[in-house]
Amino acid sequence: MSVLLDESNRVVVQGITGHQGQFHTEAMLKFGTNVVAGVTPGKAGQKVHGVEVFGSMTDAVRDTGADTSILFVPARFVKSAAKEAMDSGIQLMVIVSEHVPVHDSIEIIQIAKSQGVRIVGPNCPGLGSPGKAKLGIMPNQIFKEGTVGLVSRSGTLTYEVVNALTEAGIGQSTCIGIGGDPIVGTSFIDVLDLFQNDPGTSAVVLIGEIGGTAEEEAAEFIMKNLTKPVCAYIAGLTAPPGKRMGHAGAIISRGRGTAKSKVRALEEAGVKVANVPQEIPKLVKEILNDA
């Protein structure tokens, strides 16, 4: 099985006529994603890779029955695009765009929670369920169908670890990049809970990084709620305090959010933690054999 996404989702690509929208729409279609419409204001009537373009989300949802959207729009337009999608009835939204203003993210996520809408991102690579569907920018060829769920704050490490799992013959149920911003719509705990309740997921890989306390909170959740085995990797073991490392949320301040504290919390929760990303396939085989 998969979580959040499968072949039944009816997907709208917001910003489909832009370069990124066109490129990734083609890739998502080849992956098997049920892309039913695109939206770009002022460009209704065009087609992109055979997908009809609408001028508004209201028109797209009304005519196609879409329930899911992915945003390839500049950061300054994300808030209005997300609100339009939610007002139109979208239930699952992936926001790939980076540099979304924090206050915009807070407002979007507050509205989403009040309406029961699931948001993944912003500043994320999306999610993929091999053999079913993909929403995002992850390369198609790295995936393999299987039973290992993966959740990550880092887009690049998502690609690297998924590819390493596939090369080791380990398939995935669903892989989710939740995004590296301080404010994101879906947390580690949200995804861990989904994997715990997914009969198609037998083990979980968690990839974290410095900054914030999301990994420590995930460790506490794992200790109390997860019956499935988990292994992890935390990026930033040698990161200097006070210096932002790539992601907006990846900064150590006042000694909080260090890689060491996250590794310690996860190990205390019974999670096997890799020293380098390349160790993950070996640890996954160990936890599957021990399960």
Side-chain angles (χ1 to χ4, degrees):
M1 291 182 68
S2 60
V3 300
L4 294 179
L5 178 71
D6 60 26
E7 56 272 63
S8 68
N9 290 70
R10 298 179 64 81
V11 176
V12 178
V13 179
Q14 294 180 256
I16 193 171
T17 57
H19 175 72
Q20 295 297 321
Q22 293 186 46
F23 179 84
H24 291 293
T25 294
E26 183 178 23
M28 289 189 290
L29 287 167
K30 288 180 177 177
F31 198 89
T33 308
N34 185 23
V35 180
V36 298
V39 167
T40 300
K43 297 191 177 181
Q46 296 185 14
K47 288 195 173 182
V48 173
H49 303 298
V51 176
E52 184 172 359
V53 179
F54 293 82
S56 71
M57 284 299 293
T58 301
D59 292 345
V61 171
R62 181 195 62 218
D63 288 6
T64 67
D67 54 18
T68 302
S69 80
I70 179 165
L71 274 65
F72 291 103
V73 301
R76 64 184 184 278
F77 300 132
V78 163
K79 184 171 75 172
S80 60
K83 291 171 72 173
E84 183 187 2
M86 289 187 281
D87 289 344
S88 301
I90 291 297
Q91 294 299 300
L92 169 65
M93 184 186 310
V94 171
I95 303 176
V96 175
S97 313
E98 60 179 345
H99 304 308
V100 177
V102 172
H103 284 88
D104 287 1
S105 294
I106 292 172
E107 184 175 342
I108 293 166
I109 292 166
Q110 283 180 336
I111 295 171
K113 287 182 177 177
S114 70
Q115 297 184 3
V117 176
R118 168 76 69 182
I119 289 182
V120 179
N123 188 21
C124 78
L127 66 154
S129 296
K132 297 179 176 63
K134 183 189 81 168
L135 281 175
I137 59 176
M138 293 179 277
N140 290 359
Q141 65 272 18
I142 64 174
F143 291 96
K144 173 184 173 66
E145 286 186 66
T147 63
V148 174
L150 183 145
V151 58
S152 171
R153 282 174 68 184
S154 165
T156 304
L157 285 176
T158 304
Y159 311 156
E160 287 192 21
V161 175
V162 171
N163 188 58
L165 290 171
T166 295
E167 288 186 342
I170 302 168
Q172 310 91 42
S173 55
T174 299
C175 305
I176 303 176
I178 59 175
D181 282 0
I183 305 295
V184 293
T186 295
S187 69
F188 277 132
I189 291 175
D190 293 331
V191 178
L192 290 170
D193 189 47
L194 290 168
F195 284 144
Q196 173 65 22
N197 292 294
D198 175 31
T201 297
S202 58
V204 178
V205 175
L206 183 151
I207 301 171
E209 61 186 11
I210 60 169
T213 57
E215 289 80 358
E216 286 90 338
E217 293 163 7
E220 186 175 352
F221 182 85
I222 290 168
M223 186 182 297
K224 293 179 179 177
N225 300 284
L226 239 68
T227 60
K228 297 178 181 180
V230 183
C231 69
Y233 171 71
I234 303 297
L237 196 61
T238 59
K243 182 176 179 60
R244 180 163 64 85
M245 305 296 287
H247 288 160
I251 183 169
I252 300 170
S253 58
R254 298 179 181 177
R256 297 178 69 246
T258 67
K260 288 182 180 178
S261 68
K262 294 170 188 289
V263 169
R264 183 169 58 248
L266 288 163
E267 288 181 337
E268 288 175 356
V271 175
K272 291 192 175 184
V273 182
N275 294 309
V276 294
Q278 291 75 18
E279 283 185 4
I280 290 286
K282 174 176 173 287
L283 293 183
V284 170
K285 289 181 179 178
E286 289 178 4
I287 63 176
L288 287 173
N289 289 334
D290 293 342

